[in-house]
Amino acid sequence: MLPIQPDRFLADLHALRKFGAAGVGKGVVRPAFSEPDIAARAWLAERMREAGLSVQIDPVGSVFGLSEGQSLLMGSHSDSQPEGGWLDGALGVIAALEVARASVEAGGPPVSVVSFQDEEGRFGVTTGSAIWSGNLTLDKADGLTDRDGVRFADARALMPDRSDSFVDPSQFTGFLEMHIEQGPVLDREGDAIGVVDAIVGIRDMKITLEGEQNHAGTTPMQGRRDAFQALSRFNMLIAERFANVVTPRTVWTIGHVTLHPNASSIVPGRVTFSMQWRDGDSDRLGRMEQIIRDTAEDVAQSGGFNLTFGPMLGLEPVDMDARLRDALEQAAEADVPGRWRTMPSGALHDATNVSEMMPVGMLFVPSIGGISHAFGEDTAEADLVTGLRVLAEAVDALN
Ligand code: HGY
Ligand code: MN
Ligand code: MN
């Protein structure tokens, strides 16, 4: 068993939380390329150096701690959602760092560590690992903007010490990512470990409907071209039209809405909104896209709106590597017999992109109440340590 040190691991997790600490409890605000994100990455790079790893920050800000020669890559991301929890991504990075340190101390299997940049999609969808894997070209990424119109190219230029070249993936034998479940299953069922079998696919696009801005008091309801009403009709129609396409595991979200001019005495003339959907089946994602596009056209035609679709980003569903999954399942059975399960991931992870280049495996620990992408995200420290132990046992077994 690798000589992991739970106290050192927990201390680093709490230290990382301080970068962008916000809100109640253990919340963080640490979006990609924000001041706390850049500072946290510099701190991580230092920890990697102390662990005897050689640091390379790639052109888009993903931070790698590289072991000599061939190695197992482990990690996740350390950027957060606009309002995030202290563990989403950070857990996988610090767990990887702890396993790497223990492995160096034991002369054990060489382990490299990574914190990918912009997994949380301030600019794209799992942007940093998507660029590294070729799922997204750097050119296309550089043109992406965040919700305030900041360009990816300008944001990444803020990050010091970036190298000109990307890390060569052929030096890695595989990738293991530990993550919080971000859902309710493990917590509800009293399980300590989830071994992931597959990660869902995702599509994400912006849609704009332009009607007519006018006076809220003098404009009769009949004949208004009210952009909010267009959105609400669109939302109602897609739910109806999805009915015999989706399953209980399919999800779709309109999470970001910009209403112009967003004033109570003005009939809104324009709405731009995010449309995101996820499912484990690529065909179903495609059928949902057709329904979304057709419904937006119908609403625009029937209501006299001008319609524009923004760029659509997406990732396909992926299965985890059988050998890595088996090592994780054996380690879970040895450590927490009867308190683990194999399960799909409804959340997206960097492992999806990395699976283009090498075998990948994922391990979950419970999220209290299933809460994530919120300041209230949390996991019992005992569960964090159990996850670390099972992860280290699997790494040892793979050696
Ligand atoms: O949205 C996701 O699934 C990931 O947490 N960014
Ligand atoms: Mn995450
Ligand atoms: Mn997340």
Side-chain angles (χ1 to χ4, degrees):
M1 169 67 180
L2 293 175
I4 51 172
Q5 295 183 27
D7 293 348
R8 181 172 61 178
F9 157 70
L10 291 171
D12 273 349
L13 261 183
H14 284 289
L16 179 50
R17 174 165 72 88
K18 293 193 173 61
F19 293 94
V24 292
K26 298 173 181 157
V28 294
V29 176
R30 201 170 57 225
F33 305 113
S34 61
E35 184 275 328
D37 173 64
I38 292 175
R41 288 175 187 275
W43 173 82
L44 269 177
E46 208 29 55
R47 304 301 282 165
M48 291 172 176
R49 287 186 193 96
E50 285 165 10
L53 301 171
S54 73
V55 171
Q56 183 175 343
I57 300 176
D58 82 4
V60 297
S62 292
V63 182
F64 288 80
L66 300 172
S67 181
E68 288 288 307
Q70 285 284 302
S71 64
L72 176 69
L73 181 64
M74 300 176 70
S76 190
H77 61 93
S78 53
D79 61 292
S80 83
Q81 284 283 331
E83 288 191 3
W86 70 301
L87 293 169
D88 181 352
L91 173 62
V93 174
I94 300 299
L97 181 63
E98 181 52 35
V99 172
R101 282 188 293 229
S103 180
V104 167
E105 285 152 10
V111 169
S112 294
V113 179
V114 61
S115 169
F116 287 111
Q117 182 56 289
D118 197 31
E119 188 282 342
E120 295 291 12
R122 173 185 168 191
F123 295 92
V125 171
T126 61
T127 316
S129 57
I131 294 165
W132 188 46
S133 67
N135 275 339
L136 174 65
T137 64
L138 183 54
D139 235 16
K140 182 170 180 186
D142 271 342
L144 295 173
T145 57
D146 71 1
R147 54 190 193 175
D148 301 319
V150 175
R151 289 177 69 250
F152 183 76
D154 301 328
R156 71 184 178 95
L158 299 173
M159 187 131 182
D161 308 326
R162 284 171 302 117
S163 62
D164 296 335
S165 60
F166 286 92
V167 166
D168 175 4
S170 66
Q171 67 190 284
F172 304 122
T173 56
F175 176 65
L176 279 183
E177 181 172 4
M178 178 151 92
H179 206 284
I180 49 173
E181 179 201 337
Q182 301 182 289
V185 175
L186 296 177
D187 184 46
R188 186 184 62 221
E189 303 301 322
D191 282 341
I193 293 288
V195 176
V196 177
D197 54 10
I199 302 174
V200 295
I202 188 173
R203 299 288 184 275
D204 196 299
M205 68 193 300
K206 294 268 181 308
I207 298 176
T208 297
L209 286 160
E210 190 129 24
E212 182 184 64
Q213 180 174 326
N214 210 329
H215 194 295
T218 57
T219 311
M221 294 308 282
Q222 189 61 34
R224 280 186 178 193
R225 285 186 290 131
D226 176 334
F228 175 79
Q229 296 302 330
L231 169 56
S232 99
R233 185 153 185 280
F234 167 83
N235 183 48
M236 189 241 336
L237 283 175
I238 57 169
E240 285 172 12
R241 296 177 179 181
F242 281 167
N244 50 14
V245 170
V246 299
T247 75
R249 286 200 23 227
T250 313
V251 292
W252 61 96
T253 310
I254 296 175
H256 185 250
V257 177
T258 306
L259 207 50
H260 181 84
N262 217 17
S264 54
S265 292
I266 302 179
V267 175
R270 185 177 67 243
V271 64
T272 296
F273 58 96
S274 61
M275 182 72 231
Q276 185 192 93
W277 59 109
R278 306 183 191 202
D279 192 83
D281 178 288
S282 287
D283 288 348
R284 183 171 292 113
L285 290 170
R287 274 179 281 149
M288 293 174 76
E289 178 187 351
Q290 200 52 58
I291 290 172
I292 287 161
R293 290 182 185 277
D294 293 347
T295 304
E297 294 285 0
D298 292 349
V299 168
Q301 292 288 332
S302 60
F305 294 88
N306 185 37
L307 165 67
T308 40
F309 292 110
M312 185 177 79
L313 297 172
L315 291 171
E316 297 314 312
V318 290
D319 291 330
M320 297 296 99
D321 172 74
R323 179 172 162 267
L324 295 182
R325 182 179 140 183
D326 186 51
L328 290 166
E329 288 176 345
Q330 305 239 6
E333 183 54 25
D335 196 285
V336 282
R339 288 185 57 225
W340 67 277
R341 68 179 53 223
T342 298
M343 60 192 292
S345 174
L348 255 291
H349 298 288
D350 292 305
T352 292
N353 292 308
V354 180
S355 73
E356 302 275 333
M357 304 177 285
M358 63 192 81
V360 302
M362 282 200 76
L363 189 68
F364 280 166
V365 294
S367 293
I368 297 172
I371 300 294
S372 183
H373 284 190
F375 289 148
E377 173 189 285
D378 205 358
T379 299
E381 292 200 351
D383 285 337
L384 297 174
V385 174
T386 302
L388 174 71
R389 217 179 35 244
V390 171
L391 185 69
E393 281 156 14
V395 171
D396 218 5
L398 286 163
N399 185 14

